[in-house]
Amino acid sequence: MGYFQVFLLLALVPGSTGLDNGLLRTPPMGWMAWERFRCDIDCRKDPTNCISEKLFRDMADRLSEDGWRELGYEYVMIDDCWMSMQRGSDGRLQPDPDRFPGGIANLARYIHDRGLKLGIYADMGSATCMGFPGTTLDKVELDAQTFASWGVDYLKFDGCHSNAIEQSIGYPLMSKALNLTGRPIAYSCSLPAYIGGLPPNVNYSYLGNICNLWRNYDDIEDSWASVQSILDWFSTNQDDLQPAAGPGHWNDPDMLIIGNFGLSLDQAQAQMALWAIMAAPLFMSNDLRTLSADARAILQNRVAIGINQDPRGIQGRRLLQELGHIEVYWRPLSHSANALVFLSLRQDMPYLYRNSLANLNFPAGSFEAYDVFSGKTLSGLTDHTIFTVSINPSGVVMWYVYPVTQPPRPPKDTGRYPYLRKKYRMS
Ligand code: GLA
């Protein structure tokens, strides 16, 4: 049986679908351990960075004390390698006792006390990707109950060590089991990433009913090449992926690596800008304890965050790929505003790129453009103005573009007060 048939079959199983938690009306934001801290479990040699309750407490402290929480960064996400190698005698997953001596419920309390939320990781299969206990089909319900009893707010459900049939049963089963706990738990499904990420293997409208978000593609690594390959895959396949996103159900191109070792500042701005365009989750995987002021400024850019979190929840698209290695991305926003990103994939020098809004499908009218990273406003734009932006190599210029309404002209003295009539709905 092929994947597609399995999905069709599952869609017919009564009661197997329907995630009904009302969560993630905008993409989730927070901090996630994996890309930066991986499976470092040697707390004797590396007590500051190993996967332990201390690491998550440290990050919760930073999120709540350094202005992140107020900007929306609220989830603290435990990834792989938190578990003990064995389930408990009651069959339940349990944290490694040396690294999480207080237990997960305690950690959840610590995180909740700081106005934050806790996410955890499990794997649909016989073992997690790093070989810790997996969630086989018979354990789905028990694990959902366990997470709910600990006060978990988000589950990342990975898909290592399972076959297509198990996955196609296990992901909707977990969705249902999370619902049944009665606790609102956001649900991230890694399924698409394990079956090629595209239709017909993946049925995105079905997935949107059972998951709040899903990993579609490869894991991010700490390099510009990795960011570029992810962006390129999502853009090449945007006709399949872009319509799948919306309030409550998002594509996930993986974590933000801003503040680590692999990106220049221009590349870091580029990742922030493009993840905002893609309505991607904003999960930072970095060390918030030692973050540079430059990285912080990019990650805390209010307008970039506002674009990411736009309530319409429409994922943006790549509009143009110019021969000169300039690309233009666009996302429609609330209040007739739009975000534009001009990305340079050149490797020479800042490039002067010329275009007009009309050429980027804008309607006729007058506009202003706020440059998200320089903070400057460009006034007096019309749809036909030829503008020029200077884009650094592997960098971006990001604009928040909004229409300028004509100031109301004083009413002509006709004795009929048309403006008053409009304002007060007089007949
Ligand atoms: C997979 C996931 C990653 C991470 C690791 C942990 O590779 O895609 O995001 O969770 O497993 O082992």
Side-chain angles (χ1 to χ4, degrees), residues 326-361:
I326 302 297
E327 299 188 343
V328 183
Y329 291 79
W330 164 74
R331 178 174 174 187
L333 304 169
S334 306
H335 311 298
S336 309
N338 295 270
L340 284 175
V341 169
F342 306 98
L343 166 69
S344 170
L345 297 173
R346 300 174 66 90
Q347 301 181 9
D348 49 1
M349 59 187 284
Y351 185 82
L352 298 179
Y353 177 70
R354 286 154 59 85
N355 209 332
S356 71
L357 293 178
N359 200 35
L360 299 173
N361 304 333

Side-chain angles (χ1 to χ4, degrees), residues 48-228:
T48 329
N49 300 310
C50 66
I51 302 301
S52 69
E53 59 185 34
K54 176 187 168 0
L55 181 70
F56 298 100
R57 287 191 177 169
D58 280 358
M59 294 307 162
D61 291 347
R62 299 281 51 82
L63 287 177
S64 66
E65 289 168 30
D66 297 346
W68 300 101
R69 183 189 53 215
E70 290 70 19
L71 290 166
Y73 290 97
E74 60 175 350
Y75 287 99
V76 180
M77 299 287 306
I78 303 176
D79 208 280
D80 205 345
C81 308
W82 62 270
M83 296 171 195
S84 160
M85 272 300 179
Q86 263 90 43
R87 285 176 178 264
S89 51
D90 52 1
R92 289 179 188 263
L93 291 171
Q94 49 187 358
D96 180 280
D98 296 328
R99 293 181 288 117
F100 294 84
I104 303 294
N106 244 318
L107 181 58
R109 211 164 307 126
Y110 187 91
I111 285 170
H112 293 155
D113 285 348
R114 280 149 189 78
L116 300 166
K117 295 178 175 166
L118 173 66
I120 209 161
Y121 168 101
D123 185 285
M124 170 63 245
S126 57
T128 73
C129 297
M130 295 307 294
F132 291 82
T135 303
T136 43
L137 291 175
D138 57 315
K139 292 289 193 299
V140 166
E141 228 166 280
L142 179 65
D143 291 355
Q145 293 291 343
T146 305
F147 298 146
S149 74
W150 287 342
V152 164
D153 306 291
Y154 183 125
L155 172 65
K156 171 174 173 179
F157 204 31
D158 211 343
C160 273
H161 306 295
S162 48
N163 64 36
I165 307 258
E166 289 161 339
Q167 290 167 356
S168 61
I169 297 169
Y171 279 94
L173 206 60
M174 179 56 89
S175 179
K176 199 177 164 199
L178 291 173
N179 260 349
L180 283 176
T181 67
R183 182 176 176 84
I185 300 179
Y187 181 37
S188 164
C189 300
S190 296
L191 174 61
Y194 285 88
I195 54 174
L198 295 173
N201 288 2
V202 184
N203 177 343
Y204 276 111
S205 45
Y206 167 69
L207 217 58
N209 288 327
I210 62 163
C211 312
N212 292 117
L213 68 159
W214 44 78
R215 283 283 311 283
N216 317 62
Y217 187 59
D218 292 351
D219 290 0
I220 198 159
E221 303 264 325
D222 192 6
S223 73
W224 175 241
S226 171
V227 170
Q228 237 188 293

